[in-house]
Amino acid sequence: MMIRPRRNRKSAVIRAMVEETKVTTDDLIFPLFLLEDPKGKIEVNSMPGIYRLGIDHMLKEIEECLKLGVAAFDIFPVVNEAHKDKMATKSHDPGFFYITALKEVKKRFPEACIMTDVAMDPYSSDGHDGIVDKNGKILNDETLEVLGKMALTQAEAGIDIIGPSDMMDGRVGYIRDILDENGFAETSIMSYSAKYASAFYGPFRDALDSAPKSGDKKTYQMNPANQREALIEADLDVEEGADFLMVKPALAYLDVIKLLKDNYELPIAAYNVSGEYAMVAAAAEKGWLDKTSAMNESLLSIKRAGADIILTYFAKEFAKNKR
């Protein structure tokens, strides 16, 4: 045989030399859950190894991650039920614990890249990403005003990347206009362009206690059966001024990641979501698979599909294993 592909696999050094895809800490964003209690620390039951953190613990966590090479973080608020209402008014209150904590993070770690979430569900008494009318319908255009206020308040706190995850039509353009009109032309938007109505969000909703109180999110999040529809969403987000396009979830939608990578010049992000993390972590606890190997293979597959950026709860663990 003249051609023997195994010759390029015969040693670790040669395998590394011909490796086509590499994941590094530069590719990763670490999602974090912020508690109102500054000294609080509560493990998420459905996400072994992941904690809700008060600002005191979160500052320490970010400092540790920066030393490991993880420099980008997506911070989500855990909002007490007493703060929630139908219009998510706390989402744009500059005195709310989430906003004051973001300011503290940016003051302490100006070198870190901080991303935030724009959607009503963490603050809504209905648990939906938009305003719910008396008939249970999610109101699109009326919700945009709330999202704009939310994004502006976050930008004023010094946030680097705004992440609209709500899937309301027109929200990227609306937010871009609000930011630009108020002097925040440098604030980036990472749009959740292809966000599917997925079963893999369960542990995240446990972490934030943000599940819908009634109905589901299928009238605004995408149908898992649809691929080409992602191009419609991405086209709109590009036209409206997005700086990054995101696919969520990642592992069940590798084909969509590749589709966006092949069709757009903007950086493509993918969210390795809570359920995808939980499956690996739970199976590893049972001894059914090797967590490190499964983690590395999962992240590699997302990068190989075309993701330039990966949001993942494995970020810190990956960084530790790469040292």
Side-chain angles (χ1 to χ4, degrees):
M1 287 183 284
M2 296 295 294
I3 300 173
R4 291 181 179 268
R6 286 185 56 187
R7 283 196 286 260
N8 285 346
R9 304 172 195 153
K10 66 185 178 184
S11 74
V13 173
I14 292 175
R15 289 194 297 272
M17 284 195 297
V18 301
E19 192 169 75
E20 298 174 22
T21 307
K22 295 182 187 294
V23 179
T24 75
T25 53
D26 292 338
D27 304 322
L28 307 181
I29 297 177
F30 190 17
L32 298 171
F33 301 123
L34 179 71
L35 286 171
E36 184 171 10
D37 177 3
K39 300 187 182 302
K41 183 176 182 179
I42 305 170
E43 187 170 20
V44 181
N45 289 334
S46 53
M47 299 177 70
I50 299 298
Y51 292 82
R52 307 174 188 95
L53 303 171
I55 185 61
D56 291 355
H57 288 287
M58 185 164 288
L59 291 172
K60 293 176 183 176
E61 180 78 344
I62 291 173
E63 183 176 24
E64 290 177 12
C65 288
L66 288 170
K67 290 176 181 177
L68 292 168
V70 176
F73 308 89
D74 193 359
I75 301 177
F76 297 88
V78 182
V79 180
N80 189 285
E81 200 68 30
H83 295 312
K84 298 181 182 183
D85 58 38
K86 289 186 70 68
M87 297 300 292
T89 53
K90 286 297 184 182
S91 69
H92 49 86
D93 178 353
F96 195 49
F97 81 92
Y98 179 56
I99 300 300
T100 58
L102 293 175
K103 291 178 181 177
E104 192 168 350
V105 169
K106 284 302 297 182
K107 181 179 179 181
R108 182 78 66 88
F109 305 110
E111 74 276 22
C113 176
I114 304 300
M115 177 175 169
T116 47
D117 180 65
V118 172
M120 286 180 60
D121 55 329
Y123 314 89
S124 167
S125 52
D126 293 306
H128 276 283
D129 294 38
I131 299 169
V132 183
D133 74 6
K134 62 182 179 181
N135 298 313
K137 181 180 179 181
I138 311 303
L139 303 178
N140 190 96
D141 296 6
E142 294 85 343
T143 297
L144 298 184
E145 184 177 353
V146 178
L147 301 178
K149 291 177 180 179
M150 192 186 313
L152 180 58
T153 303
Q154 293 173 2
E156 289 171 341
I159 295 313
D160 302 284
I161 302 174
I162 300 294
S165 67
D166 57 284
M167 291 300 287
M168 298 297 114
D169 292 340
R171 88 277 201 211
V172 172
Y174 190 94
I175 290 170
R176 184 73 272 162
D177 287 344
I178 291 288
L179 294 176
D180 290 356
E181 290 166 6
N182 286 275
F184 294 101
E186 296 299 313
T187 303
S188 303
I189 295 177
M190 182 182 290
S191 174
Y192 288 60
S193 297
K195 182 178 180 181
Y196 287 85
S198 172
F200 290 101
Y201 302 150
F204 177 92
R205 291 173 183 167
D206 289 344
L208 295 190
D209 189 23
S210 62
K213 300 299 189 294
S214 63
D216 54 41
K217 301 191 176 188
K218 292 180 179 179
T219 65
Y220 49 100
Q221 294 180 354
M222 286 179 58
N223 184 341
N226 294 354
Q227 183 190 66
R228 293 192 304 275
E229 187 180 5
L231 296 174
I232 298 173
E233 293 283 2
D235 279 345
L236 290 169
D237 289 347
V238 171
E239 291 172 8
E240 293 174 24
D243 300 287
F244 312 83
L245 305 176
M246 187 201 295
V247 177
K248 181 181 181 183
L251 291 175
Y253 299 89
L254 296 175
D255 59 323
V256 180
I257 296 172
K258 186 178 190 313
L259 183 67
L260 265 58
K261 183 65 174 179
D262 288 346
N263 283 278
Y264 300 96
E265 298 302 319
L266 290 180
I268 305 301
Y271 201 140
N272 181 207
V273 298
S274 60
E276 295 170 341
Y277 170 89
M279 289 191 300
V280 172
E285 282 193 342
K286 289 284 190 179
W288 293 341
L289 53 72
D290 179 76
K291 186 179 183 183
T292 299
S293 297
M295 169 187 70
N296 289 337
E297 190 172 342
S298 296
L299 296 177
L300 194 64
S301 72
I302 298 167
K303 182 76 181 288
R304 191 182 65 243
D308 303 288
I309 301 159
I310 305 172
L311 293 87
T312 179
Y313 301 95
F314 286 120
K316 186 179 181 182
E317 188 170 353
F318 175 87
K320 283 181 175 179
N321 284 316
K322 287 296 180 182
R323 287 177 71 82

